[in-house]
């Protein structure tokens, strides 16, 4: 019993290392996004890397798509529409173009209270693109990041930023995690991100089989096909916040994924706890 009390007391004395962990995570994610951008030069996949993607939009005043949307989606009283042609450019030069129409509903004071958005991919000729949605790239990107983190955490290794920050992932017994333990930790850590990307891929796969008429009708009428992605995103957003932020309310140096994986982050400096 005394041994258990001593062990629990020692655990409470472990340094929190919160800001060092935040710094290490941000630097590691930036480093891994650079690696993904380099991989994308070889593998023709769109990993969906925010750091290396820029989007510019311009107003679309006319054209077949504008005419079709305005004809099949007439505005009601209090609604305004914005039609745009957007170009998304990746770090390695790959571009994608899409047409986006946004219908905004405003109150009597002119303030926006709701909006509905419809986006469709375009080919190089500005025509409606079919079957070009990259559904596997973001999922592959997530798992490449996950595997990289697991490899750089297991068997005594550290990511570059953890080495700079003098912190290390260990088991609760103080040993270096094996690859299977590190992989479990990273799967748990990135589980909300995996869920977001998977749900987006499923929604995109379903949408890719819809005709433009069906997509306009769903956005115009607010049917389940248009509302479901929003509901899925909202239902995943709240658990993700709880998973990543709730432990910070009563911070003890362990996130939920650390506890479930039997790991913790400790300082490698001899004068730190």
């Amino acid at each position: 019993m005394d041994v258990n009390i001593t062990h629990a007391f020692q655990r409470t004395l472990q340094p929190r290392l919160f800001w060092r962990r935040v710094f290490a995570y941000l630097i590691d994610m930036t480093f891994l996004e650079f690696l993904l951008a380099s991989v994308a030069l070889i593998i023709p996949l769109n990993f969906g890397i925010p750091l290396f993607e820029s989007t510019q939009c311009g107003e679309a005043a006319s054209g077949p798509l504008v005419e079709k949307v305005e004809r099949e989606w007439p505005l009601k009283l209090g609604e305004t529409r914005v039609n745009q042609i957007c170009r998304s450019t990746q770090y390695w030069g790959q571009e994608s173009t899409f047409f986006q129409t946004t219908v905004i509903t405003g109150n009597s004071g002119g303030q926006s209270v709701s909006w509905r958005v419809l986006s469709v991919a375009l080919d190089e000729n500005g025509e409606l693109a079919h079957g070009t949605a990259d559904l596997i790239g973001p999922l592959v990107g997530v798992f490449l990041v996950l595997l990289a983190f697991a490899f750089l955490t297991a068997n005594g290794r550290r990511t570059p930023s953890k080495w700079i920050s003098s912190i290390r992932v260990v088991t609760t017994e103080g040993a270096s995690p094996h690859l299977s333990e590190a992989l479990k930790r990273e799967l748990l850590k990135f589980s909300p991100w995996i869920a977001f990307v998977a749900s987006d891929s499923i929604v995109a796969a379903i949408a890719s089989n819809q005709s433009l008429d069906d997509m306009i009708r769903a956005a115009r009428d607010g049917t389940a096909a248009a509302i479901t992605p929003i509901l899925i995103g909202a239902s995943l957003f709240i658990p993700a916040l709880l998973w990543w932020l709730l432990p910070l309310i009563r911070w003890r140096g362990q996130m939920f994924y650390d506890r479930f994986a039997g790991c913790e982050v400790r300082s490698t400096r001899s004068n730190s706890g």
Side-chain angles (χ1 to χ4, degrees):
M1 185 66 179
D2 292 338
V3 174
N4 293 333
I5 293 175
T6 302
H7 179 69
F9 181 69
Q10 290 175 342
R11 289 289 303 280
T12 60
L13 293 180
Q14 288 294 329
R16 297 183 177 188
L17 307 174
F18 174 70
W19 291 112
R20 276 197 262 173
R21 292 186 68 166
V22 171
F23 167 80
Y25 178 77
L26 294 177
I27 297 301
D28 283 340
M29 288 301 297
T30 303
F31 171 72
L32 289 173
E33 286 196 8
F34 269 107
L35 289 182
L36 280 181
S38 301
V39 172
L41 294 173
I42 304 171
I43 303 176
L45 287 177
N46 179 10
F47 294 125
I49 310 172
L51 185 63
F52 300 101
E53 184 177 43
S54 62
T55 301
Q56 295 182 335
C57 297
E59 183 179 358
S62 62
L65 286 175
V66 173
E67 295 173 1
K68 184 177 182 64
V69 166
E70 292 184 348
R71 182 176 62 253
E72 299 187 15
W73 189 353
L75 295 178
K76 299 177 182 178
L77 183 64
E79 292 182 339
T80 57
R81 188 198 323 271
V82 178
N83 295 317
Q84 294 177 308
I85 297 292
C86 300
R87 287 179 174 82
S88 178
T89 305
Q90 302 290 332
Y91 166 77
W92 53 96
Q94 181 179 349
E95 290 188 354
S96 59
T97 306
F98 58 94
F99 169 78
Q100 179 173 286
T101 183
T102 305
V103 172
I104 306 168
T105 304
N107 59 22
S108 57
Q111 297 177 345
S112 301
V113 294
S114 66
W115 61 90
R116 285 167 287 171
V117 180
L118 170 65
S119 297
V120 292
L122 304 177
D123 60 21
E124 60 275 8
N125 298 318
E127 303 291 337
L128 189 65
H130 299 281
T132 59
D134 188 352
L135 304 179
I136 192 174
L139 276 174
V140 173
V142 170
F143 283 101
L144 286 178
V145 169
L146 185 152
L147 290 173
F149 265 114
F151 176 79
L152 293 173
T153 298
N155 300 323
R157 290 183 288 268
R158 283 187 286 173
T159 61
S161 66
K162 283 188 174 64
W163 182 82
I164 295 172
S165 303
S166 299
I167 57 177
R168 178 189 298 277
V169 177
V170 296
T171 65
T172 52
E173 290 77 23
S176 179
H178 298 297
L179 182 59
S180 59
E181 295 171 316
L183 187 59
K184 178 182 178 181
R185 180 180 184 268
E186 300 306 323
L187 274 170
L188 290 169
K189 179 169 70 176
F190 288 111
S191 55
W193 186 15
I194 295 172
F196 274 118
V197 173
S199 64
D200 284 345
S201 298
I202 293 172
V203 170
I206 295 173
S208 65
N209 294 322
Q210 289 183 311
S211 66
L212 179 57
D213 291 336
D214 291 337
M215 295 172 66
I216 293 175
R217 190 179 305 112
R220 179 194 66 200
D221 301 337
T223 59
I227 297 175
T228 298
I230 300 174
L231 294 178
I232 292 175
S235 64
L236 290 175
F237 180 71
I238 295 174
L241 283 180
L242 295 177
W243 184 249
W244 283 325
L245 299 182
L246 186 60
L248 305 183
I249 297 175
R250 188 179 174 85
W251 179 254
R252 288 294 180 268
Q254 280 187 315
M255 300 295 284
F256 284 139
Y257 51 82
D258 288 319
R259 295 181 184 274
F260 288 120
C263 295
E264 58 187 31
V265 177
R266 295 184 184 177
S267 173
T268 60
R269 296 173 183 171
S270 58
N271 60 346
S272 299

